[in-house]
Amino acid sequence: MATTISDTTAANTSSTSTSTSSSKVSITGLGSGLDIDALVEVTVEAEKAAKQAQIDRLTTKTDTSISAVGTLKSAIEAFEASLTSLQTVSSSFDGLSASSSSSSVASVTAGSGAVAGSYSLEVTQLATASKVASASQEGGSSTTFASGGTLTVDVGDNASYDVEVSAGASLTQIRDAINDQLSSTAGISANIVTDSSGARLVLSSETTGEGTDLYVSGTGDLAALNINVDDEGNHSLTQQSGSAAGYITAAGNASYKLDGLELSSSSNTVTALSGLSIKLASEGSSTLTVATNTDGLKESINTFVTAYNTLLTVTNALTKVTATSDGSSTEAGALVGDASVRSLLNSVRNALVEPSTSSGGLSVLAQLGVTTNKTDGTLSIDDDKLSSALETHAADVKSFFSGDNGLLGRLKSVTEPYTATGGLLATRTEALQTTKAQLTEQQEALDRRIESLTTMLYTKYNNMDTLIAQLSATSESILATLNALNNSDD
């Protein structure tokens, strides 16, 4: 009977010692008296710590590097955009600038070969383009031309264009055919004007100047649309009047005077003065002035210096080692010691100091009062020296910066391999992303290994604790039997 009681006690002891969950088997240690959870946790952490620390360290370093490379790429691209802008605007580094005292009469821009001075301009007539109208068609815009055929449009004696018209086409359809075939290629457009007498086909040319009047002749019943041609089909300018065909505006040259010299031009954009492009806008008088472009040159040089300094500020932040605010330690930039950044900066500086051989007497930035700060490599401008230098070298600045093998071009040739699609920085980012993916795989593998280890440890400790509980129960049962025997002998 004692044995039965002891067996029940052993079973209860064993069952009380364990509890089961869906994730793991946890033992309270009642059988062995050990803190099983603590033992497993310490063992797992000891196994995991070194590898986890390595993964965390490398992940942080990789994320920081990806961010830093992205920052560097953005800074270089912003620098390139500034250089491109300075190169694209043709007047950025022009040594001379031109102005008009009356922009309503004429505007003017200075280019290569311009000479400083002041010029008197008098515009007596603007260049005009031909505009002509057909005779009125009593049927209005819906008038049809049964025969169809070919409508020939001559631009003076210089060019001739044929417009094919289908049989039975209306005046509206003829207008559309002219616009479709001649608007983009010949600069000739058509419209329809309607009044009480009927509808007229009106043609306008974009070409100005004498000898560019429009002449229209048609085959078959399209002859009703003839303009400025006689009965024999010869050119014959006739001013439009009443419902008849003729020119509304005759093509003509611009007439103007420069410093009293009478001149003529087929276009309202004239280049009579060397290096100047003058756009005539209306009849009247204006004074054209060409002078040193001091303000414009200063603005462009300042724009360049600002762009360069912005790039240097970013790279310095990424590559410098600086002391903390209390001086107790140092903080390193994300790309400290990076070979690609070091190579970039060296190449940029070499391009910056390389003497120009194609810009007259201007060969280095220092001649313009632009010098390098020894502390951080940024540029600074001495405005007084710059003003003085522009008095001598204004005409050389453009070729120095944007001419063949100019400073802007040299700098772009240095930076483009870094920012190009598939370039150095893109390749670097791709490699870092690959490293990050590998670290993610390592983390997942570590998590699986630790989970397996945890399960194994709990299983071992569970088995041990159960065995100890069973041994303890057996020992108690034997002792109880022996005690019972001793009591019966008495």
Side-chain angles (χ1 to χ4, degrees):
M1 189 68 176
T3 303
T4 303
I5 296 172
S6 297
D7 290 343
T8 303
T9 303
N12 289 340
T13 301
S14 178
S15 62
T16 305
S17 301
T18 64
S19 61
T20 305
S21 68
S22 60
S23 60
K24 66 180 182 181
V25 178
S26 178
I27 304 177
T28 62
L30 293 179
S32 63
L34 297 174
D35 187 346
I36 303 303
D37 285 338
L39 285 173
V40 172
E41 182 178 352
V42 169
T43 304
V44 167
E45 286 301 320
E47 180 69 22
K48 179 181 180 181
K51 184 62 177 177
Q52 186 64 62
Q54 180 192 48
I55 292 174
D56 290 344
R57 184 179 67 257
L58 292 176
T59 298
T60 299
K61 181 180 179 181
T62 302
D63 287 339
T64 302
S65 295
I66 290 173
S67 176
V69 171
T71 300
L72 177 62
K73 187 171 185 289
S74 296
I76 298 174
E77 288 174 339
F79 179 62
E80 289 177 336
S82 294
L83 300 186
T84 300
S85 177
L86 288 171
Q87 287 179 307
T88 302
V89 179
S90 60
S91 60
S92 292
F93 293 103
D94 282 345
L96 296 174
S97 63
S99 62
S100 170
S101 63
S102 178
S103 58
S104 62
V105 173
S107 58
V108 59
T109 56
S112 176
V115 178
S118 181
Y119 309 92
S120 172
L121 171 68
E122 181 183 354
V123 181
T124 55
Q125 179 178 305
L126 293 176
T128 53
S130 176
K131 177 178 283 190
V132 298
S134 70
S136 294
Q137 307 299 311
E138 294 181 359
S141 59
S142 59
T143 300
T144 57
F145 298 84
S147 69
T150 301
L151 199 64
T152 301
V153 181
D154 294 337
V155 182
D157 295 323
N158 305 311
S160 182
Y161 304 95
D162 289 337
V163 178
E164 298 303 323
V165 178
S166 59
S170 67
L171 190 63
T172 299
Q173 290 173 321
I174 293 173
R175 176 202 62 191
D176 294 342
I178 293 172
N179 288 332
D180 289 342
Q181 298 179 43
L182 302 185
S183 179
S184 60
T185 58
I188 297 172
S189 59
N191 211 331
I192 295 174
V193 177
T194 304
D195 64 4
S196 59
S197 63
R200 297 178 176 84
L201 183 67
V202 177
L203 276 67
S204 301
S205 173
E206 296 177 1
T207 305
T208 60
E210 292 179 359
T212 61
D213 289 284
L214 296 180
Y215 302 89
V216 181
S217 58
T219 61
D221 53 9
L222 291 176
L225 299 178
N226 286 359
I227 308 171
N228 290 334
V229 293
D230 58 24
D231 293 338
E232 296 178 357
N234 298 316
H235 292 177
S236 176
L237 276 178
T238 305
Q239 187 170 13
Q240 192 277 329
S241 177
S243 61
Y247 68 84
I248 301 170
T249 303
N253 284 353
S255 298
Y256 62 101
K257 294 180 181 180
L258 274 174
D259 288 342
L261 180 63
E262 293 186 356
L263 299 169
S264 177
S265 170
S266 61
S267 169
N268 285 317
T269 299
V270 299
T271 56
L273 278 173
S274 177
L276 293 185
S277 177
I278 305 169
K279 187 173 182 179
L280 308 179
S282 66
E283 296 177 3
S285 300
S286 179
T287 298
L288 309 180
T289 303
V290 182
T292 301
N293 186 26
T294 302
D295 291 340
L297 289 173
K298 282 187 175 182
E299 181 180 353
S300 295
I301 292 171
N302 271 287
T303 298
F304 166 75
V305 169
T306 299
Y308 181 87
N309 288 347
T310 300
L311 175 63
L312 262 289
T313 299
V314 173
T315 55
N316 286 343
L318 294 172
T319 58
K320 292 285 187 180
V321 176
T322 57
T324 56
S325 56
D326 59 5
S328 61
S329 62
T330 58
E331 295 179 347
L335 297 178
V336 167
D338 188 274
S340 59
V341 180
R342 189 164 56 248
S343 175
L344 167 67
L345 293 176
N346 287 338
S347 298
V348 167
R349 291 182 182 119
N350 289 337
L352 193 70
V353 300
E354 180 183 336
S356 172
T357 58
S358 58
S359 52
L362 179 60
S363 58
V364 293
L365 277 173
Q367 290 176 266
L368 296 173
V370 181
T371 55
T372 303
N373 296 316
K374 295 181 179 180
T375 55
D376 58 8
T378 58
L379 300 177
S380 59
I381 302 174
D382 185 319
D383 192 66
D384 291 337
K385 288 185 178 180
L386 177 57
S387 297
S388 177
L390 291 179
E391 293 178 3
T392 305
H393 298 296
D396 301 324
V397 172
K398 187 164 190 172
S399 55
F400 176 82
F401 279 97
S402 55
D404 293 339
N405 197 36
L407 177 58
L408 303 185
R410 296 199 304 272
L411 287 171
K412 285 187 69 175
S413 67
V414 169
T415 59
E416 283 175 347
Y418 289 83
T419 58
T421 302
L424 296 175
L425 294 182
T427 302
R428 177 77 176 279
T429 300
E430 184 178 346
L432 289 169
Q433 293 289 4
T434 300
T435 299
K436 186 174 180 179
Q438 292 171 345
L439 289 170
T440 299
E441 292 174 357
Q442 291 181 32
Q443 181 66 63
E444 292 172 351
L446 177 61
D447 291 341
R448 290 193 298 270
R449 184 160 64 87
I450 293 303
E451 183 179 358
S452 176
L453 175 63
T454 300
T455 301
M456 180 193 71
L457 289 173
Y458 270 110
T459 300
K460 285 184 176 181
Y461 282 121
N462 180 37
N463 293 336
M464 179 197 71
D465 197 68
T466 300
L467 178 60
I468 291 174
Q470 290 172 346
L471 290 173
S472 178
T474 300
S475 174
E476 290 176 0
S477 176
I478 292 172
L479 289 174
T481 301
L482 291 175
N483 287 335
L485 290 172
N486 289 336
N487 290 335
S488 65
D489 290 341
D490 294 341

